[in-house]
């Protein structure tokens, strides 16, 4: 009930945000050289007369406002335009690549979140101890590693030198593997890109969790719980960790956007056929409609992730929705 | 105890600032040490490091000096990092202050715009922006700032909103102080310090984003960049991995130095905020 | 009367860390089973430190001078089991994201309760909250300040301790709520035979609660004794001044009220003499030169050179 | 009550929305304050008394009602005119640690209103600050102390000096002694009583402590859930309270035995 109210309110808030993203994308599209007709003709061929004809048919000879209206109405029909690079509708290409990126991101964020928060709890257990110093400095160093470079180093070490793992792709091509065997193959291919993409976030969550734990330790309810005779372990895990986790959860939504950005380089390094690599291909081939299609779908992914995070947060924190006082 | 003394008392901060200072010196004097264009060919291709002392870190597959590239690359990295962060913070702080102070529909629309920018991955936005306007140093700076200003904007707005409700601001209104003076004297000095502690994260992020852009070939083509060097080395990754690894190490240590300095700044600021 | 002694302090003092001045020093007093001791002092006087020391809850890193003993517990008291502690801030002492019933059950279970969830509801009933079953399902933010403090009280009692320490437990609340809660604390102590230490800055509130009173001032014990004696025949000028500056409902609007001029000395300041001397109407030259000795019995006396009965 | 009213408020109404529920903070409140008198507004927390104080100072905007200060319609004023008129009615907050700019010095706090309203000639500021500090019993040597370097009682004196700087005829005192220690409370109450006797300033004194109210108030209004439930002279209210809310507040004052 609280969740339903929250979702409806959030969905309402999404509308203007999405509108701004769409208008922004439209202007970027307008600013780029060439239009949809040029793009279409590159892949199909045709002369000037056909171009003018198509421009009239597609409404591209009208005013900017009319073109924006056209843009929006085609979006409403899930029409993201034509990709020159692939000679196919943008939406097809994008949706084909989306699952790989979601798999990569989902695995990376889940592992980073789990491992990072647990290591953060460990580090905060005795602030200033050798374990804490090692974890803190280590995480700061990892936090400074450029992900794409880490990817290259991992390839050199694990694929080139040790020959333990594949250096790229999402699965072995034309291996004919099925079911569990195929899943295992995909998992092997995911290890290095997930590590390259997720390591920074692991470090980030570790640092945030550590800081949150130390901060929460100072709260009165912790002192009170110990004074009531609860064992320290129980206080740490059931009370401090649970409260310290809350700010990390709110960060998850924001991280969806930054991770999607990070997947561009990581997918390029590991040749993972995902949304990020698609963005790079679009830029390399000057395929602006395709790039903007990736951005729009990416924005929708981020919005969906944020919505999911809000629900998760509301479930974890009963205070959400109780709401602060506002003037009537 | 002064903020400077507290900074000096933080080992992380001292090490970071020291490192950063030496990188800055390297960046400033790179043209003195290597006055020639770092893109020019000076020796044989793929000379390994520590073999020929005229090119101590070796050469790439065209015979260009890696060390010269590294030193010149430091200039680009630091320049872009600093300016992108500066633009992002100034823009973000301005939006945050405007939203927090004005409230109402101005606040509402500024925040929706901020959310829209947060919804689009900053790196994709930079990619799109550069692919439309073309890669030049100022545009790279602006493209990076475009994805980084939302953080400071939200922090500043939240601070302004909370400070606006404090009693000493109410007291300033009661004595009849002008709203502009209240904003300038009572609110801003308390709202901005949290952004300072955010600055190191933004600088570090900007340096990494610039490197990633150059790695994908979207940096300023007339400048040597660390990301570009790594991309260049990638083509011979199996035979000459040092060409990618060494510039990456330079990148890593610069970013680490920025983070360490940030830890020192946070420690220096921590002492001044309590009021009892 | 030779009731069993629960806690005994002999020249006890506390320093939170080596560099800091003592938060409380030179306290000698004892507390027997069934007594109710009100500790009175203003902010920074060391009254909370004294309460924490009596509860054995001093933070790690603090050092204790002199002796603190708990004869009845055979060693340091077990938190929650031997001593229940209620903190000042009713909103801060509960975990914000856990139902209050679960918090109660958790503590009850930690002390070996076989049926903690049933007991949680009973505890809520004991602190006289309406509809205990429903209240057990509430989160702290759904309760009022007074209700939260009742839950904090129930939590302090969940381990069935024999001693209860309430540290300014009512000061953050409205006077009306405060009064009801203070009455509840006394009632619970009476019916369960609990020993109470009630820390407050309000001497009149203390008067209604305590069988005994201890007054602390600037990290020293100024006076202690049976409540009746301290209130009617204070032996320390600070106690007397506190009594005079109490504003009851019977002090009519006048030109001025009773006030103690000046302010407590900086705790970091080492003074050779009595720490109240600068504000004391009765101070003589020796007061500023040497710290006054203890006059009277250990549990009924004052740190003042004035002869007994002078201030009556 | 024969003295003319210098503060007249009629039908003050304000509602808040909390988690979907609408809570009336003020529900048709009328207030009259005469020159030189102390009107105490008492009530439990949440009764609306603090909102009343802030609404009268226009720190909170009302939904309805009129406020006349010295004959002028205070709610109709805006901009420069409002800021100028604010001179007449000043405020002292509950917690002086929160009500003074933490970066300020005693001098900057006290001199702000002088500067804002151009009340002193160039060069006369030091004398004016010294005079104000003297009125609240602080030595001029305090002027350059940072406000975080002085005690709570001293901070409240500085806050009172700031409020006095514009020579107001009305002071709104929002629980001015409840954050202070008992031994300091008496000093501040005496300071307020002395100032009023000498300068005939009217006090709107917000409090939940009936003991304090007894010591300062000429008249008392009792608030509950945004409404005034009792209104009368202090003597009458304390002798024979009519509303249950008032009786409850009176009963809550702890009494010393034998007094």
């Amino acid at each position: 009930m609280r969740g339903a109210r929250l979702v409806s309110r959030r969905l309402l808030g999404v509308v203007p945000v999405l509108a701004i993203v769409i208008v922004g994308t439209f202007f970027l599209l307008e600013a780029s050289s060439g239009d949809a007709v040029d793009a279409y003709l590159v892949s199909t061929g045709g002369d000037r007369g056909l171009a003018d004809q198509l421009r009239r048919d597609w409404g591209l000879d009208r005013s900017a406002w009319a073109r924006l209206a056209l843009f929006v109405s085609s979006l409403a029909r899930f029409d993201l335009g034509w990709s020159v690079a692939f000679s196919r509708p943008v939406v097809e290409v994008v949706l084909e690549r989306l699952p790989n990126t979601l798999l990569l991101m989902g695995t990376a964020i889940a592992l980073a979140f789990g491992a990072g928060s647990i290591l953060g709890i460990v580090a905060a257990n005795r602030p200033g101890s050798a374990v804490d110093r090692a974890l803190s400095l280590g995480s700061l160093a990892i936090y400074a590693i450029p992900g794409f470079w880490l990817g290259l180093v991992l390839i050199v070490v694990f694929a080139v030198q040790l020959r333990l793992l594949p250096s790229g792709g999402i699965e072995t091509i034309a291996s004919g593997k099925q079911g569990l065997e195929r899943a295992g193959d995909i998992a092997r291919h995911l290890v290095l890109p997930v590590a390259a993409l997720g390591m920074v976030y692991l470090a980030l969550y570790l640092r945030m969790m550590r800081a949150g734990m130390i901060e929460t330790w100072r709260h009165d309810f912790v002192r009170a719980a110990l004074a009531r005779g609860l064992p320290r372990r129980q206080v740490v895990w059931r009370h401090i960790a649970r409260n310290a986790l809350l700010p990390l959860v709110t960060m998850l939504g924001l991280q969806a956007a930054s991770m999607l950005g990070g997947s561009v380089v990581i997918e390029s390094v590991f040749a993972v056929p995902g949304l990020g690599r698609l963005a790079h291909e679009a830029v390399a081939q000057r395929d602006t409609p395709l790039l903007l299609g990736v951005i729009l779908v990416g924005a929708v992914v981020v919005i969906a992730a944020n919505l999911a995070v809000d629900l998760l947060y509301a479930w974890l924190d009963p205070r959400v929705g109780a709401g602060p006082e506002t003037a009537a | 105890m002064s903020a400077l003394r507290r900074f000096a008392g933080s080992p992380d901060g001292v090490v970071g600032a020291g490192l950063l200072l030496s990188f800055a010196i390297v960046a400033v004097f790179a043209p003195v040490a290597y006055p020639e264009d770092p893109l020019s060919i000076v020796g044989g291709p793929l000379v390994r490091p520590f073999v020929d002392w005229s090119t101590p870190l070796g050469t790439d597959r065209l015979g260009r000096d890696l060390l010269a590239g590294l030193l010149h690359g430091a200039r680009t990295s630091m320049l872009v990092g600093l300016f992108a962060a500066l633009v992002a913070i100034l823009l973000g702080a301005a939006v945050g202050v405007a939203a927090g102070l004005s409230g109402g529909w101005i606040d509402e629309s500024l925040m929706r715009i901020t959310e829209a920018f947060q919804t689009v991955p900053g790196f994709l936005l930079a990619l799109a922006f550069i692919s439309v306007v073309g890669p030049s140093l100022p545009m790279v700076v602006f493209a990076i700032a475009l994805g980084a200003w939302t953080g400071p904007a939200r922090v500043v707005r939240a601070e302004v909103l909370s400070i606006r409700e404090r009693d000493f601001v109410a007291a300033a209104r009661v004595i009849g102080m002008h709203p502009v003076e209240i904003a300038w004297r009572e609110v801003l000095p308390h709202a901005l310090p949290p952004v300072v502690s955010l600055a190191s994260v933004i600088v570090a992020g900007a340096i990494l984003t610039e490197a990633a852009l150059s790695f994908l070939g979207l940096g300023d083509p007339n400048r040597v960049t660390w990301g570009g060097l790594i991309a260049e080395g990638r083509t011979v990754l199996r035979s000459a991995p040092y060409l990618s690894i060494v510039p990456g190490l330079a990148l890593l240590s610069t970013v680490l130095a920025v983070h360490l300095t940030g830890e020192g700044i946070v420690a220096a600021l921590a002492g001044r905020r309590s009021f009892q | 009367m030779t009731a069993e002694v629960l806690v005994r302090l002999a020249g006890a003092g506390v320093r939170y860390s080596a560099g800091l001045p003592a938060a409380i020093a030179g306290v000698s007093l004892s507390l027997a089973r069934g007594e109710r001791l009100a500790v009175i002092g203003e902010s920074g006087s060391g009254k909370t430190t004294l309460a924490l020391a009596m509860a054995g809850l001093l933070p790690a890193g603090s050092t204790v001078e002199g002796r603190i003993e708990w004869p009845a517990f055979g060693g340091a008291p077990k938190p929650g089991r031997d001593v229940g502690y209620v903190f000042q801030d009713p909103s801060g002492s509960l975990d914000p994201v856990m139902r209050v019933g679960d918090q109660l059950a958790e503590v009850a279970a930690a002390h070996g309760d076989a049926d903690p969830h049933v007991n949680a509801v009973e505890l809520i009933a004991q602190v006289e909250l309406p509809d205990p079953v429903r209240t057990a399902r509430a989160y702290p933010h759904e309760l009022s300040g007074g209700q939260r403090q009742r839950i904090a009280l129930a939590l302090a009692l969940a381990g069935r301790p024999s001693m209860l320490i309430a540290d300014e437990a009512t000061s953050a609340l409205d006077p009306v709520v405060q009064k009801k809660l203070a009455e509840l604390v006394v009632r619970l102590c009476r019916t369960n035979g609990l020993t109470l230490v009630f820390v407050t800055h309000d001497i009149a509130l203390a008067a209604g609660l305590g069988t005994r009173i201890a007054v602390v001032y600037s990290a020293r014990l100024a006076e202690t004794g049976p409540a009746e004696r301290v209130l009617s025949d204070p032996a320390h000028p600070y106690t007397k001044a506190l009594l005079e500056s109490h504003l009851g409902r019977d002090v009519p609007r006048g030109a001025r009220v009773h006030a103690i001029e000046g302010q407590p000395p900086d705790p970091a300041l080492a003074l050779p003499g009595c720490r109240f001397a600068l504000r004391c109407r009765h101070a003589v030259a020796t007061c500023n030169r040497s710290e006054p000795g203890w006059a009277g019995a250990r549990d009924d006396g004052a740190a003042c050179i004035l002869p007994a009965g002078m201030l009556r | 009550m024969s003295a003319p009213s210098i503060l007249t408020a009629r039908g003050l109404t304000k509602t808040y929305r909390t988690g979907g529920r609408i809570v009336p903070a003020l529900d048709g409140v009328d207030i009259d304050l005469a020159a030189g008198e102390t009107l105490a507004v008492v009530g439990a927390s949440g009764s609306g008394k603090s909102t009343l104080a802030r609404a009268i100072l226009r720190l909170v905007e009302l939904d309805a009602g009129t406020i006349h200060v010295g004959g002028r319609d205070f709610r109709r004023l805006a901009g420069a005119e409002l800021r100028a008129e604010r001179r007449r009615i000043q405020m002292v907050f509950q917690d002086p640690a929160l009500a003074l700019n933490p970066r300020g010095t005693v001098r900057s706090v006290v001199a702000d209103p002088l500067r804002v309203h151009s009340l002193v000639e160039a060069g006369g500021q030091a004398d004016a600050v010294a005079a104000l500090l003297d009125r609240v019993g602080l030595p001029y040597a305090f002027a350059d102390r940072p406000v975080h370097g002085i005690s709570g009682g001293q901070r409240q004196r500085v806050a009172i000096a700031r409020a006095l700087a514009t020579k107001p005829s009305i002071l709104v005192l929002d629980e001015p002694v409840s954050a202070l220690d008992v031994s300091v409370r008496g000093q501040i109450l005496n300071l307020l009583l002395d100032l009023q006797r000498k300068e005939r300033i009217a006090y709107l004194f917000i409090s939940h402590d009936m003991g304090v109210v007894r010591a300062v108030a000429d008249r008392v209004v009792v608030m509950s859930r945004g409404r005034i439930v009792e209104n009368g002279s202090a003597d009458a209210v304390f002798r024979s309270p009519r509303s249950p809310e008032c009786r409850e507040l009176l009963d809550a004052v702890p009494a010393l035995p034998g007094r």
Side-chain angles (χ1 to χ4, degrees), chain C residues 43 243 251 257 260 262-263, chain D residues 151 154 181 187 190 214 259:
Chain C
S43 55
L243 287 167
V251 182
V257 299
I260 313 174
Q263 52 189 340
Chain D
S151 74
Q154 289 160 346
D181 273 317
Q187 300 171 15
N190 282 338
R214 186 71 182 122
R259 285 183 61 190

Side-chain angles (χ1 to χ4, degrees), chain D residues 27-39:
Chain D
D27 186 2
V29 172
D30 300 342
I31 291 284
D32 288 285
L33 182 67
E37 75 161 346
T38 299
L39 173 63

Side-chain angles (χ1 to χ4, degrees), chain C residues 223 229-241 243-244 280-284 287 295 302 304-312:
Chain C
E223 173 163 11
R229 199 278 296 158
V230 173
L231 295 170
S232 62
D233 181 18
H236 197 288
Y238 177 61
T239 314
K240 165 103 171 153
L243 287 167
E244 283 171 349
C280 182
R281 267 179 288 166
H282 305 273
V284 291
C287 292
C304 185
I305 58 164
L306 286 175
M310 264 285 288
L311 298 168
R312 196 172 322 174

Side-chain angles (χ1 to χ4, degrees), chain D residues 40-70:
Chain D
V41 180
V42 301
S45 62
S47 61
K49 57 188 194 302
S50 256
T51 307
L52 174 66
R54 283 169 191 252
I56 286 175
L57 284 148
R58 294 207 43 193
L59 292 173
V60 165
E61 282 309 318
L62 290 162
D63 300 337
T66 58
I67 301 167
H68 281 85
V69 176

Side-chain angles (χ1 to χ4, degrees), chain C residues 197-285:
Chain C
V197 176
F198 193 94
V199 180
T200 176
H201 61 268
D202 187 339
I203 196 164
L205 187 64
L209 286 168
T211 55
R212 292 192 31 217
I213 285 176
V215 181
V216 288
Y217 181 80
S218 189
R220 300 290 187 281
L221 180 64
E223 173 163 11
T224 185
E228 275 167 55
R229 199 278 296 158
V230 173
L231 295 170
S232 62
D233 181 18
H236 197 288
Y238 177 61
T239 314
K240 165 103 171 153
L242 280 181
L243 287 167
E244 283 171 349
S245 33
H246 170 68
L247 296 170
R249 45 189 281 196
D250 48 359
V251 182
R253 187 192 197 304
R256 317 200 78 200
V257 299
H258 273 285
I260 313 174
E261 294 308 322
Q263 52 189 340
D266 184 341
L269 206 63
L271 292 174
C274 172
R275 299 186 73 83
F276 188 62
L278 282 172
R279 306 172 80 183
C280 182
R281 267 179 288 166
H282 305 273
V284 291

Side-chain angles (χ1 to χ4, degrees), chain C residues 92-284:
Chain C
S93 71
L94 306 176
D95 186 335
V97 299
M98 198 189 245
R99 295 180 197 277
V100 296
D102 291 341
Q103 299 192 41
L104 279 161
E106 188 187 21
V107 176
H111 294 293
D113 194 318
D115 209 350
H117 281 275
V118 172
N119 238 302
V121 174
E122 267 169 34
L123 281 161
I124 295 174
Q126 220 184 58
V127 294
E128 299 171 12
L129 281 169
D131 200 348
V133 178
R134 228 181 103 192
T135 307
R137 282 201 301 268
Y139 287 100
H141 74 270
E142 294 165 339
L143 303 174
S144 72
Q147 289 171 329
R148 273 178 235 163
Q149 200 59 311
R150 281 170 195 257
I151 294 291
L153 183 60
L155 279 162
L157 298 174
R160 312 206 173 284
S162 45
M163 186 163 145
L164 178 69
I165 300 190
D167 183 1
E168 293 262 25
T170 62
S171 332
L173 304 170
D174 241 36
V176 176
V177 182
Q178 161 168 341
K179 182 177 185 242
K180 287 180 182 152
L181 193 66
E183 286 168 356
L184 172 68
V185 168
V186 172
R187 207 155 49 236
L188 283 172
C189 288
R190 282 221 179 95
T191 50
N192 299 339
L194 283 171
T195 309
L196 174 71
V197 176
F198 193 94
V199 180
T200 176
H201 61 268
D202 187 339
I203 196 164
L205 187 64
L209 286 168
T211 55
R212 292 192 31 217
I213 285 176
V215 181
V216 288
Y217 181 80
S218 189
R220 300 290 187 281
L221 180 64
E223 173 163 11
T224 185
E228 275 167 55
R229 199 278 296 158
V230 173
L231 295 170
S232 62
D233 181 18
H236 197 288
Y238 177 61
T239 314
K240 165 103 171 153
L242 280 181
L243 287 167
E244 283 171 349
S245 33
H246 170 68
L247 296 170
R249 45 189 281 196
D250 48 359
V251 182
R253 187 192 197 304
R256 317 200 78 200
V257 299
H258 273 285
I260 313 174
E261 294 308 322
Q263 52 189 340
D266 184 341
L269 206 63
L271 292 174
C274 172
R275 299 186 73 83
F276 188 62
L278 282 172
R279 306 172 80 183
C280 182
R281 267 179 288 166
H282 305 273
V284 291

Side-chain angles (χ1 to χ4, degrees), chain D residues 17-248:
Chain D
R17 199 181 302 244
T18 304
R21 282 178 311 137
I22 288 176
V23 183
L26 293 177
D27 186 2
V29 172
D30 300 342
I31 291 284
D32 288 285
L33 182 67
E37 75 161 346
T38 299
L39 173 63
V41 180
V42 301
S45 62
S47 61
K49 57 188 194 302
S50 256
T51 307
L52 174 66
R54 283 169 191 252
I56 286 175
L57 284 148
R58 294 207 43 193
L59 292 173
V60 165
E61 282 309 318
L62 290 162
D63 300 337
T66 58
I67 301 167
H68 281 85
V69 176
R72 294 198 64 175
D73 191 341
F74 205 55
R75 276 198 74 203
R76 289 261 172 89
L77 300 176
E81 218 182 351
L82 171 64
R83 292 198 296 277
E85 244 359 74
R86 282 187 180 281
R87 263 196 350 251
R88 299 164 180 271
I89 178 163
Q90 287 292 307
M91 178 164 181
V92 176
F93 294 79
Q94 171 171 5
D95 188 344
L98 304 178
L100 305 178
N101 186 335
R103 287 166 179 248
T105 62
V106 170
R107 184 192 302 280
S108 74
V109 168
V110 175
D112 267 347
L114 300 173
R115 181 177 48 79
V116 164
H117 295 283
S118 315
L119 294 175
V120 288
E121 306 284 310
Q125 194 222 50
D127 288 341
V129 169
L132 280 167
L133 291 182
D134 185 57
R135 278 163 78 195
V136 298
L138 288 175
Y140 184 62
F142 261 69
D144 292 307
R145 295 263 206 110
V147 294
H148 61 77
I150 60 180
S151 74
Q154 289 160 346
R155 275 186 215 137
Q156 197 60 305
R157 287 175 193 266
V158 171
I160 293 171
R162 168 175 65 188
L164 293 174
T166 61
K167 301 193 175 65
S169 48
I170 304 165
L171 271 191
V172 176
L173 305 157
D174 187 5
E175 309 254 14
V177 294
S178 47
L180 303 176
D181 273 317
V182 181
S183 77
V184 178
R185 184 183 68 185
Q187 300 171 15
I188 298 296
L189 287 177
N190 282 338
L191 171 64
L192 291 170
L193 287 166
D194 289 349
L195 279 170
Q196 186 174 54
R197 211 179 42 236
K198 282 187 229 150
E199 313 187 11
R200 268 181 64 78
I201 306 173
Y203 292 159
L204 188 70
F205 196 106
I206 316 290
S207 182
H208 61 245
D209 184 337
M210 293 303 269
V212 170
V213 167
R214 186 71 182 122
V216 299
D218 298 306
R219 289 191 304 123
V220 176
V221 298
V222 182
M223 287 188 68
S224 175
R225 288 187 213 150
R227 287 166 177 269
I228 289 179
V229 293
E230 181 155 356
N231 182 354
S233 77
D235 285 336
V237 166
F238 277 86
R239 204 178 322 110
S240 47
R242 296 185 309 269
S243 62
E245 289 88 354
C246 186
R247 275 197 291 276
E248 209 175 27

